[in-house]
Amino acid sequence: MAGRKGREGEMLESVYSVLALVFILVACVELCDAATVVDVYRLIQYDLSGVPFGSRFASLNHHAGSLPFAPGADLSRTVVIIPVREINLTLIRDCITQGKALGGFLLLLPQKLSPGNRKYAIERDRSQGKELMRNLLFDLEQLLIHANIPYPVYFAFEDDKINTVLADVKRNDATGQPASATTGGYKLLVSTSEPKKLTSPTITNIQAWLPGLKADGDANQLPTIAIVASYDTFGAAPALSVGSDSNGSGVVALLEIARLFSRLYSNPKTRGRYNLLFGLTSGGPYNYNGTQKWLRSLDQRMRESIDYAICLNSIGSWDNEIWIHVSKPPENAYIKQIFESFLNVAEELGVKVGLKHKKINVSNPRVAWEHEQFSRSRVTAVTLSELSVAPELLESSGGLFDSRQFVNETAVTRSVKLVAESLAKHIYGHQGKKIQIFADGSSLAVNPFYIESWLDLLSRTPRVAPFLKKNDPFILTLKKELSDHVAEVNVQHEVLDGMFTFYDLTSATLNIYQVASVTFDLLLLLVLGSYLILLFSFLVITTRGVDDLISLFRRPTSRKVKTA
Amino acid sequence: MTVFHFFNCAILTFGPHAVYYSATPLSEYDTLGTSVKAALVYLGTALIKLVCIATFLKVPENDNFDPYQELLKALIGFIDVAGLYFALTQLTHRNISQNHKFQAVGLGWAFADSVLHRLAPLWVGARGLEFTYEYILQGLEANANLVFTVSLAGLVSLMWLRKNKPKTLIPIIYVCAGILATMPSITSYLRRETFCLETAVQWWKVKPIFFTRGFSVECNCIAEGSPSSQCRMLNASKQTLSIHIQISNCRF
C-alpha cells in the first residue's frame, strides 16, 4: 500500500518536472514576426592614423522618423529614413557638424542601383538625371566618409514595402508628434554585436608571368613589359562597393589582354622577344600600398628588366578621349616612344589620347596614380585612365554610384584594343606600319562577351581589401583565370599598412515592426476590464437576481448586523 | 509592452469563461468536475473529428464552393452533437439539476475549445513586437464561441434529457440544433458570398492606432421550449436576441 503510494508520488513528481520543463521551453519560443525584413548595408567605419571616421555604432533599436523634422524635437531615439533622391545635403551636413543627437540614419538608394537589378541598358535620354544622381551620390559619399558619426548609418534599396513604411511614417509625422513609445508607429531593429577592429587585414597581389621567345645563344635576359591594374575598391558602403569602373574595367582589360597575348605567345613562331608581366594588385585606394609591396618583393633582376609598365585605371566610361598620365617629364625618350605608339593606334581607332604630367613630391606620402609607385622604384611607368585629374585620397575608388550601369563595354573594348595594338607594335617592331593584329573578326579579335561577363561578375562582387580574406573565392577566381592563360601565376599575401584601421560588420538585416502605443494597451485593458465586470453583473442579475449582486457588496456589514 | 498585449488578449479569450463560472450558480453548486470531464470529452471529440476530416475530405485545389465537401463537413459537425450527448448523458455527474448540468458541460466544452484552438497562436504571436488586431479578433471569436456552445449544449439537453417536451416545439428544436451544428459551414459559405468581412479585416490591419468599426453582425434567434419557471436563464434568453459576432478565422 505504501509502496504504491510512493510510486504514485514519484510519478506525480516526474510529471510535474516534465511540465515545468515544457513551460520553460515554451517560454523560449520566439518567432520572427516582423512586418518587413530588409537587407541593409552599414556605412564604413575606419580610423586613419588614429582619427576615427565613419559610423561608430552598429546596433539599432529605435522608432522611425522622417524629414522634415520639427525644430527642437528630440530625435535621440529616432532613426531618420531618407530617400537619397530627396536628400538635402546641407541639412545633413549641418546635422553632422553640429553633432546633433540622433538615433540613426537609414538612407534609401534608388532601386536602379541595386545589384539584383538586371537592366543594364544605358538610357541616353535620361542621362541628365543620371548625372545629377551621380554627383549627388558622390557628394554624399565624400561627406559621410570624412565625418565622424556617433550613431549607426545604414543604406538600403528602395522597394515597395519600405516605401509604404516611409509613406506611413511621413503621414504620422505630419500630424506633429514624432513617434515614440506612447504614440505608436514603426520600430526599426538591427540586432548585431558591437563592431570590432579587423586585426592585420591582408592584401593579396596576383602576378602572372608570360615568358617571351629566348633565341638559342641569347644570354641576355629578355626585356619585360608590365601591365598592372589594382582590383580592390573603397566606398561608403563596403558591402556595396563593387567599383565597376574603378577599377573593374581595368581588371577586365588586363584579363583580356592576357588572354590575347597568351594566344599569340602559344605559338613559338609568333612569340615576341619580350616577357610580359601581368599584375593584379590590391591596396589601390590606400596610396597603392600593395603595388609598392609587390615591387619591393620582386627579384632585383626582374625589376631592372622591366622596360616600362602600363597601369590601367578606370577605362570603362570614356567616349573619345583618354589620358596617359606620367611622372617623368614628357621629353624623356622612353615616354615619347610609348606615347607615340599610343598616338598611332589611337589615330587608327579614331580616338584622342592626351598626355598629362604630374611631378612626384617625394615628401608627400600621397600616391595618386599607380605609376608613381613604379617611378619611386626607378621603373618607367604610365597610367592609362579616363580621369583627367588625379583623384584625392579615397576618391574614385569605387563608390555608391559606381555600379554596372555606368560602365560601357565598348569603352573597355576600345581600351583593350588600344593597349594591345600599341604593345604589339612595340614588341614586334611594327612602328609606323599600318598592321592590325587584333583586327575585328579575326581569331585574335577582342571578345566582347568575355569582357561583358567579367564586368558583370565584377559588378556583383564587393571588393574592399580588408574584408577579402586570404583565400576569398574571388581572389582564387582571378588566380585561376590567369593560370588558364599564363603558366606561371604567383599569389603574394601582405599586411595592409598601419595607417588605416578597419572595423567589421558591413551588412545586417533590419526588422521593421509596426508597434502600437502603450496608451493603446492601457485603453484596451480598461475596456476589457469594464467588459468583464459588465458581463459578471449581467450574469449575476439574470441568474441569481439583483439582490444577490447587491448582497455581494453588502455582505460584511450585514454579517456584523446579524451577529450583533 | 508585448507581454501586456498578450495579457490583454488572454483575459479577453479566457476571462468570460471564468466570469461565467463565478457569476452564475455554477460556482455555488461546485460543478467544476463536470466542466473538466466535458473538456476531456471535447478533446476526444476533436481527435475523432480530425481523423474523419483527414480520411474523408480532399484538399481543396480551387476556391469554389464544393457542395459535397461542405455536406461532409456539415455531417462531421454532427459529431460535435454526439460528443455533447455523450458528455451530458453517459458520464456520471454529481447530483445537479438539468439546467446547471448543460451549462457546466457547455462551459467546459467552450473552455477546452478556446485553449486548444487559441492558446498556442496567442502565446507565440502576441508576445512579439509586431502589433496586429488578429488576437483581439480571436478573443472576440472565443466569446462568441462560448455563447454558441452553451446554446448548443442547451439544445442537446432539451432533445435528450427532457422527457416532457411540448409537441409543437420538437421540430424547431431539432432544426435549430441542426443549424447550430453546421454553423461553421454556413459561415464559410456566407463569407465567400459577402466580401465585407474581408475588407473590414484588411482595413483594421492598416490602421493599428485608430479604432474602426467594420464587422458585420449576424443575428440568430434561439427558441427555447421549456415553460418551467425554474430556469430563469432560458426565460431571459427568450426575450433577448443572442448576437453572434463572427469575424473571419475559419474553424476547419
Side-chain angles (χ1 to χ4, degrees):
Chain A
M1 187 66 172
R4 200 152 37 110
K5 275 221 157 47
R7 251 183 280 128
E8 274 182 24
E10 273 172 27
M11 211 172 65
L12 268 175
E13 267 186 33
S14 55
V15 167
Y16 282 143
S17 48
V18 167
L19 274 177
L21 185 65
V22 165
F23 275 129
I24 291 172
L25 281 176
V26 164
C28 300
V29 165
E30 262 186 51
L31 292 181
C32 170
D33 54 353
T36 315
V37 178
V38 186
D39 285 326
V40 292
Y41 311 98
R42 196 169 79 99
L43 180 65
I44 194 160
Q45 180 182 0
Y46 68 102
D47 296 339
L48 180 52
S49 310
V51 181
F53 289 104
S55 152
R56 310 307 292 179
F57 288 95
S59 61
L60 198 67
N61 188 352
H62 295 309
H63 286 265
S66 68
L67 288 176
F69 22 83
D74 178 26
L75 291 168
S76 56
R77 296 193 61 79
T78 311
V79 176
V80 184
I81 307 181
I82 309 176
V84 168
R85 282 177 289 118
E86 304 164 3
I87 206 171
N88 182 351
L89 272 177
T90 43
L91 191 68
I92 311 289
R93 197 171 287 131
D94 290 338
C95 256
I96 294 174
T97 48
Q98 285 164 13
K100 198 174 166 103
L102 208 64
F105 272 122
L106 178 66
L107 298 164
L108 298 178
L109 299 168
Q111 178 67 13
K112 274 193 304 183
L113 295 176
S114 112
N117 199 339
R118 313 296 286 176
K119 300 191 191 67
Y120 293 144
I122 298 175
E123 297 127 352
R124 297 235 167 253
D125 49 353
R126 285 207 263 149
S127 58
Q128 181 75 355
K130 241 194 324 178
E131 269 306 301
L132 279 172
M133 173 62 66
R134 191 189 177 125
N135 293 336
L136 181 66
L137 284 172
F138 179 76
D139 291 332
L140 177 68
E141 191 164 16
Q142 290 302 308
L143 170 67
L144 290 174
I145 291 177
H146 294 296
N148 181 3
I149 303 176
Y151 40 80
V153 178
Y154 280 99
F155 293 93
F157 289 103
E158 280 184 28
D159 64 1
D160 298 325
K161 291 185 288 186
I162 254 199
N163 280 337
T164 46
V165 167
L166 183 60
D168 255 344
V169 169
K170 278 202 169 131
R171 216 176 326 127
N172 288 340
D173 273 355
T175 61
Q177 273 278 32
S180 61
T182 47
T183 53
Y186 287 91
K187 203 170 175 90
L188 303 180
L189 179 68
V190 174
S191 43
T192 54
S193 49
E194 276 311 301
K196 289 189 281 294
K197 269 192 205 183
L198 286 175
T199 49
S200 327
T202 46
I203 46 178
T204 310
N205 299 319
I206 308 172
Q207 80 181 37
W209 172 258
L210 189 60
L213 186 67
K214 235 194 203 157
D216 299 331
D218 189 1
N220 298 333
Q221 177 82 327
L222 282 177
T224 311
I225 300 180
I227 299 154
V228 189
S230 85
Y231 68 86
D232 69 328
T233 61
F234 180 89
L240 295 175
S241 295
V242 292
S244 305
D245 201 9
S246 308
N247 189 14
S249 50
V251 172
V252 172
L254 186 145
L255 290 175
E256 177 66 359
I257 295 170
R259 186 186 73 86
L260 290 171
F261 274 95
S262 74
R263 288 198 77 175
L264 262 181
Y265 275 40
S266 54
N267 189 346
K269 293 207 189 115
T270 52
R271 200 177 293 168
R273 286 176 192 265
Y274 280 83
N275 301 321
L276 286 174
L277 176 64
F278 298 97
L280 282 170
T281 58
S282 179
Y286 323 114
N287 292 327
Y288 292 103
N289 198 263
T291 316
Q292 182 191 47
K293 294 203 159 99
W294 177 55
L295 281 173
R296 288 222 193 110
S297 75
L298 276 183
D299 198 24
Q300 170 104 350
R301 273 195 308 159
M302 195 198 285
R303 204 170 347 134
E304 285 175 356
S305 75
I306 297 182
D307 249 10
Y308 66 95
I310 300 180
C311 308
L312 304 169
N313 183 356
S314 308
I315 46 177
S317 57
W318 58 283
D319 273 333
N320 45 18
E321 181 162 28
I322 202 166
W323 303 95
I324 295 187
H325 298 265
V326 292
S327 54
K328 289 210 168 122
E331 297 78 38
N332 187 304
Y334 287 121
I335 303 288
K336 262 197 191 164
Q337 202 178 33
I338 301 169
F339 186 56
E340 264 173 34
S341 64
F342 270 104
L343 260 182
N344 290 337
V345 180
E347 265 176 42
E348 285 168 29
L349 289 177
V351 296
K352 229 169 61 129
V353 179
L355 187 67
K356 283 224 165 197
H357 174 229
K358 179 178 173 291
K359 275 209 186 127
I360 300 180
N361 186 353
V362 185
S363 52
N364 187 358
R366 169 77 187 127
V367 178
W369 298 108
E370 200 160 9
H371 69 264
E372 294 184 15
Q373 292 286 15
F374 281 88
S375 301
R376 284 170 198 236
S377 302
R378 310 267 182 269
V379 179
T380 311
V382 303
T383 301
L384 184 72
S385 172
E386 72 200 2
L387 302 167
S388 54
V389 187
E392 298 296 321
L393 182 65
L394 302 178
E395 235 183 58
S396 290
S397 51
L400 287 172
F401 58 86
D402 204 346
S403 62
R404 181 64 177 85
Q405 291 111 316
F406 292 101
V407 184
N408 195 345
E409 301 94 62
T410 45
V412 179
T413 315
R414 219 178 300 133
S415 322
V416 169
K417 248 210 206 154
L418 182 63
V419 176
E421 290 282 358
S422 52
L423 268 181
K425 280 203 159 68
H426 187 95
I427 291 175
Y428 299 106
H430 291 150
Q431 274 91 338
K433 300 183 199 156
K434 275 194 177 283
I435 300 176
Q436 250 201 11
I437 295 183
F438 304 101
D440 293 332
S442 68
S443 64
L444 283 173
V446 177
N447 188 347
F449 302 109
Y450 187 83
I451 288 180
E452 197 175 319
S453 63
W454 273 97
L455 266 180
D456 286 349
L457 174 65
L458 283 164
S459 305
R460 287 198 301 269
T461 320
R463 304 186 296 280
V464 182
F467 303 109
L468 283 177
K469 302 277 179 301
K470 263 191 204 175
N471 47 0
D472 193 85
F474 181 70
I475 296 177
L476 294 174
T477 310
L478 286 177
K479 176 172 182 238
K480 182 175 176 305
E481 185 63 20
L482 277 177
S483 42
D484 275 350
H485 305 313
V486 169
E488 266 182 65
V489 177
N490 290 323
V491 174
Q492 178 205 17
H493 300 291
E494 298 279 350
V495 176
L496 186 59
D497 236 353
M499 201 166 65
F500 281 86
T501 319
F502 290 91
Y503 293 77
D504 63 356
L505 281 181
T506 53
S507 64
T509 45
L510 173 75
N511 293 312
I512 303 183
Y513 298 104
Q514 200 173 51
V515 292
S517 49
V518 170
T519 49
F520 174 78
D521 276 333
L522 288 171
L523 209 62
L524 188 64
L525 183 65
L526 214 64
V527 167
L528 287 177
S530 48
Y531 164 70
L532 285 177
I533 291 172
L534 271 173
L535 184 70
F536 184 81
S537 343
F538 172 76
L539 285 172
V540 167
I541 291 175
T542 48
T543 55
R544 297 195 239 175
V546 191
D547 306 325
D548 265 343
L549 180 66
I550 299 172
S551 71
L552 270 176
F553 298 107
R554 296 273 175 85
R555 221 183 312 154
T557 52
S558 63
R559 274 217 193 108
K560 276 191 194 151
V561 167
K562 271 199 178 146
T563 50
Chain B
M1 195 264 285
T2 54
V3 181
F4 197 173
H5 187 63
F6 166 74
F7 175 72
N8 280 344
C9 296
I11 62 175
L12 178 62
T13 314
F14 303 115
H17 301 87
V19 163
Y20 190 92
Y21 184 80
S22 55
T24 58
L26 290 179
S27 56
E28 285 175 18
Y29 293 110
D30 197 16
T31 52
L32 193 61
T34 315
S35 299
V36 169
K37 284 187 200 149
L40 291 172
V41 174
Y42 175 80
L43 191 64
T45 314
L47 282 170
I48 295 174
K49 267 170 71 174
L50 271 174
V51 169
C52 286
I53 291 173
T55 317
F56 296 118
L57 291 182
K58 297 184 294 212
V59 175
E61 283 125 11
N62 45 12
D63 236 353
N64 301 331
F65 182 76
D66 187 357
Y68 297 113
Q69 298 290 308
E70 298 299 324
L71 194 65
L72 277 172
K73 278 192 202 161
L75 283 177
I76 288 173
F78 285 113
I79 297 180
D80 256 339
V81 177
L84 272 174
Y85 168 77
F86 177 79
L88 274 172
T89 57
Q90 304 296 7
L91 292 180
T92 53
H93 299 295
R94 300 227 325 255
N95 208 356
I96 31 182
S97 69
Q98 296 284 14
N99 305 324
H100 297 136
K101 199 195 292 189
F102 86 80
Q103 283 180 62
V105 166
L107 182 67
W109 193 271
F111 185 72
D113 181 273
S114 283
V115 166
L116 286 178
H117 281 271
R118 295 180 191 93
L119 181 63
L122 197 60
W123 175 257
V124 169
R127 281 186 314 138
L129 272 179
E130 179 77 12
F131 175 81
T132 52
Y133 273 118
E134 190 187 333
Y135 301 106
I136 300 177
L137 299 179
Q138 207 179 47
L140 292 173
E141 196 194 346
N143 277 310
N145 183 259
L146 171 63
V147 179
F148 172 89
T149 309
V150 169
S151 40
L152 185 62
L155 276 176
V156 171
S157 87
L158 271 181
M159 286 199 286
W160 279 298
L161 289 184
R162 269 180 201 281
K163 308 301 175 197
N164 52 347
K165 294 184 283 238
K167 292 290 176 206
T168 49
L169 286 173
I170 291 177
I172 301 179
I173 292 170
Y174 281 106
V175 163
C176 286
I179 292 176
L180 277 186
T182 60
M183 185 60 76
S185 306
I186 297 176
T187 48
S188 68
Y189 176 68
L190 283 176
R191 195 182 322 125
R192 287 202 188 91
E193 303 297 310
T194 60
F195 288 101
C196 61
L197 292 164
E198 308 287 299
T199 51
V201 171
Q202 283 297 106
W203 201 30
W204 283 44
K205 280 192 184 132
V206 171
K207 291 188 187 212
I209 303 179
F210 308 107
F211 296 98
T212 59
R213 262 178 278 271
F215 49 81
S216 75
V217 171
E218 287 176 48
C219 295
N220 257 339
C221 181
I222 302 178
E224 315 283 51
S226 160
S228 156
S229 57
Q230 280 172 356
C231 180
R232 279 186 231 153
M233 165 73 175
L234 290 177
N235 276 338
S237 50
K238 232 200 287 187
Q239 281 128 33
T240 60
L241 278 169
S242 87
I243 298 177
H244 284 238
I245 303 174
Q246 299 269 354
I247 300 172
S248 71
N249 285 355
C250 183
R251 291 300 300 279
F252 279 100

